[in-house]
Amino acid sequence: MAKIQMTTPLVEMDGDEMTRILWKMIKDELLLPYIDLKTEYYDLGLKYRNETNDQVTMDSAQATLKYGVAVKCATITPNAARMEEYDLKEMWKSPNGTIRAALDGTVFRAPIQVKGINPCVKNWVKPITLARHAYGDVYKNVEIKVPGKGKAELVFTAEDGTEMRETIHEFDGPGIIQGVHNTDKSITSFAKACFSYALDTKKDLWFATKDTISKKYDHTFKDIFQEVYEKEYKDKFEEAGLEYFYTLIDDAVARVMKTEGGFIWACKNYDGDVMSDMVSSACGSLAMMTSVLVSPSGVYEYEAAHGTVQRHYYKHLKGEETSTNSVATIFAWTGALRKRGELDGIKELQEFADKLEKATLQTIEEGKMTKDLALITELENVTVLNSGDFIKAIRETLDRM
Ligand code: NAP
Ligand code: MG
């Protein structure tokens, strides 16, 4: 069989530890035999990031802006222990943070659903996609622990020196205050990314904040979403038969529990953090979750939602067998290949991505899976496979298909 040809390269961002091992296995077993794979390779493994003073991360983000589609392996975000382990020149920043800043993106995450591994909310028959705004609010806060009696004020000084001033509270004893911010620019980017992604994936979009209580802060999010929708997306939504609606966050939470899923739930930064953890835990495993960073200019970066699975890697180094789930990393590749195929009009590439996803799910449904899934599945007579054999089993299913 002739291999599928590509025209534009994918930006390939290699990573660290166990996921780096899976990365190579996936390429060798599931991609290279079928595709004349064209990638521009960036090694984001910590060793090379250190050697290049993290220039390689910046370069990979620039390449993503140039080509439009990237696939990223999980990477180590250094901490004190990693400084020593890798003898680092500096505590390099999180690559995800660097790439997100360059792409001005929003992160979309959705559970990968498969028969036999069921969400504990029984009516969730379709995956719920979380869209999390990844800038500002409590993640960029300024806080003061108030020692005692006094007055707290909120002050804004404009460039020309004029002031806006509000009393926060007259303290008659110790307490706490917090200052948070966001920008119209970032909220607008977030809104555009959500509307574009909804059109792209043909899903309804929900957005919720606490605008009844936060009449300026949260209300601004609501207003910007509405403005962007009416100006740029309303007609396209109507044409596609899709719905956008805004509701209060309390109402959204209550409604989510009663739906069958299948929509995108856009959340402010903090709400997105906790709600995506809730949705993913309800669906079983971080390794059964897709994750894509989408920029308002239409640039896509696909990755797994989990980390480098360090504990498994150390076992692997000691020569012990591992059973690490490669599904999220496989789906990062299929997401990127499908998008590349769409943008370049290569139907075979899109079909291959669909097929590989189907083969992956079918392998699990036939009872062949890694240990993390075997622990939670409702299927009986399950075979627990090691990291490599699971990928080989997927290849067998793919070849049968
Ligand atoms: P992790 O790699 O997500 O792993 C945490 C635990 O979750 C594992 O020990 C394992 O549990 C389970 N797990 C996660 N993915 C799995 C998979 N594919 N198959 C089977 N089990 C899986 O998180 P971490 O250990 O906190 O972080 C390790 C490194 O990853 C850190 O250096 C961190 O900076 C980095 N990280 C990177 C990203 C990213 O690049 N996107 C995201 C998060 C963390 P058991 O050990 O119980 O089997
Ligand atoms: Mg969280």
Side-chain angles (χ1 to χ4, degrees):
M1 209 177 71
K3 287 191 191 182
I4 300 165
Q5 296 297 311
M6 294 175 64
T7 47
T8 316
L10 270 181
V11 177
E12 174 182 355
M13 302 170 175
D14 206 345
D16 286 300
E17 300 194 312
M18 200 59 212
T19 40
R20 189 179 179 99
I21 309 281
L22 298 179
W23 194 260
K24 182 164 189 317
M25 289 178 180
I26 291 167
K27 281 177 69 179
D28 288 346
E29 291 287 335
L30 302 176
L31 304 176
L32 293 170
Y34 310 97
I35 305 171
D36 203 356
L37 197 64
K38 226 183 184 165
T39 72
E40 196 163 292
Y41 180 87
Y42 292 87
D43 184 359
L44 300 198
L46 185 51
K47 186 168 171 287
Y48 194 62
R49 270 185 278 150
N50 190 53
E51 277 174 35
T52 61
N53 298 328
D54 209 25
Q55 186 60 42
V56 65
T57 309
M58 264 82 89
D59 292 347
S60 73
Q62 288 310 313
T64 307
L65 287 169
K66 176 175 167 196
Y67 292 113
V69 189
V71 55
K72 180 180 171 292
C73 181
T75 47
I76 292 169
T77 298
N79 55 14
R82 301 296 198 169
M83 290 289 289
E84 207 171 307
E85 186 183 353
Y86 285 83
D87 192 16
L88 299 180
K89 296 186 239 176
E90 249 182 65
M91 203 183 283
W92 306 111
K93 286 196 186 139
S94 148
N96 292 327
T98 304
I99 295 165
R100 210 173 284 164
L103 268 50
D104 187 16
T106 300
V107 179
F108 295 89
R109 290 196 164 159
I112 300 165
Q113 294 190 342
V114 56
K115 274 185 223 122
I117 294 160
N118 297 320
C120 41
V121 180
K122 290 191 176 54
N123 43 292
W124 286 358
V125 291
K126 295 180 202 159
I128 294 169
T129 304
L130 250 294
R132 173 183 171 187
H133 185 209
Y135 178 81
D137 302 350
V138 74
Y139 299 85
K140 284 251 181 225
N141 65 1
V142 180
E143 302 182 318
I144 294 176
K145 232 171 131 52
V146 173
K149 214 166 160 157
K151 181 166 149 184
E153 290 180 288
L154 196 58
V155 184
F156 170 75
T157 316
E159 255 182 343
D160 67 3
T162 46
E163 270 186 9
M164 295 166 84
R165 193 175 282 266
E166 291 279 344
T167 300
I168 298 170
H169 191 65
E170 307 257 8
F171 285 89
D172 53 16
I176 38 178
I177 42 181
Q178 179 183 59
V180 296
H181 81 278
N182 224 300
T183 66
D184 285 10
K185 180 167 178 264
S186 177
I187 301 167
T188 305
S189 289
F190 171 45
K192 288 186 182 178
C194 290
F195 289 122
S196 307
Y197 196 70
L199 282 173
D200 213 43
T201 55
K202 300 182 181 61
K203 287 188 164 119
D204 291 339
L205 179 68
W206 299 20
F207 181 48
T209 71
K210 193 71 175 175
D211 65 293
T212 48
I213 297 299
S214 171
K215 289 188 167 45
K216 293 208 171 103
Y217 198 100
D218 279 19
H219 215 290
T220 298
F221 277 81
K222 176 184 175 179
D223 292 344
I224 289 179
F225 263 70
Q226 194 59 34
E227 209 181 290
V228 169
Y229 178 64
E230 275 166 24
K231 228 181 7 223
E232 289 181 44
Y233 294 94
K234 194 165 186 263
D235 294 345
K236 292 177 196 153
F237 265 59
E238 282 170 4
E239 214 171 281
L242 296 174
E243 190 187 8
Y244 163 64
F245 79 91
Y246 175 88
T247 184
L248 200 61
I249 185 91
D250 323 36
D251 179 50
V253 168
R255 281 203 209 187
V256 160
M257 287 301 160
K258 302 208 164 97
T259 60
E260 58 165 25
F263 55 91
I264 299 167
W265 183 8
C267 289
K268 282 176 61 198
N269 211 344
Y270 172 79
D271 299 339
D273 184 354
V274 293
M275 291 307 162
S276 67
D277 280 352
M278 183 194 72
V279 170
S280 70
S281 327
C283 293
S285 163
L286 258 191
M288 297 299 284
M289 185 105 184
T290 61
S291 181
V292 57
L293 176 67
V294 182
S295 85
S297 60
V299 168
Y300 296 78
E301 184 243 330
Y302 294 83
E303 57 173 11
H306 57 76
T308 60
V309 212
Q310 181 181 16
R311 272 177 11 105
H312 295 209
Y313 181 60
Y314 288 169
K315 276 171 79 181
H316 171 83
L317 286 182
K318 280 194 270 172
E320 290 171 30
E321 192 167 81
T322 59
S323 182
T324 315
N325 189 334
S326 46
V327 172
T329 307
I330 294 171
F331 274 62
W333 274 101
T334 52
L337 289 169
R338 184 185 298 108
K339 180 55 71 182
R340 198 65 271 167
E342 269 170 42
L343 294 177
D344 294 346
I346 307 171
K347 219 169 141 232
E348 297 82 7
L349 203 55
Q350 298 172 52
E351 285 168 0
F352 176 79
D354 293 344
K355 234 181 227 171
L356 179 51
E357 288 182 0
K358 237 171 133 184
T360 304
L361 300 181
Q362 194 176 313
T363 305
I364 298 169
E365 283 165 8
E366 286 169 4
K368 287 170 266 181
M369 59 189 76
T370 45
K371 192 173 150 196
D372 57 321
L373 296 184
L375 289 170
I376 55 170
T377 185
E378 285 161 22
L379 296 175
E380 281 163 23
N381 304 320
V382 165
T383 313
V384 179
L385 298 175
N386 67 35
S387 308
D389 285 349
F390 177 61
I391 290 171
K392 289 202 179 95
I394 295 170
R395 179 164 182 186
E396 279 166 26
T397 314
L398 187 62
D399 285 338
R400 257 191 285 132
M401 284 165 65

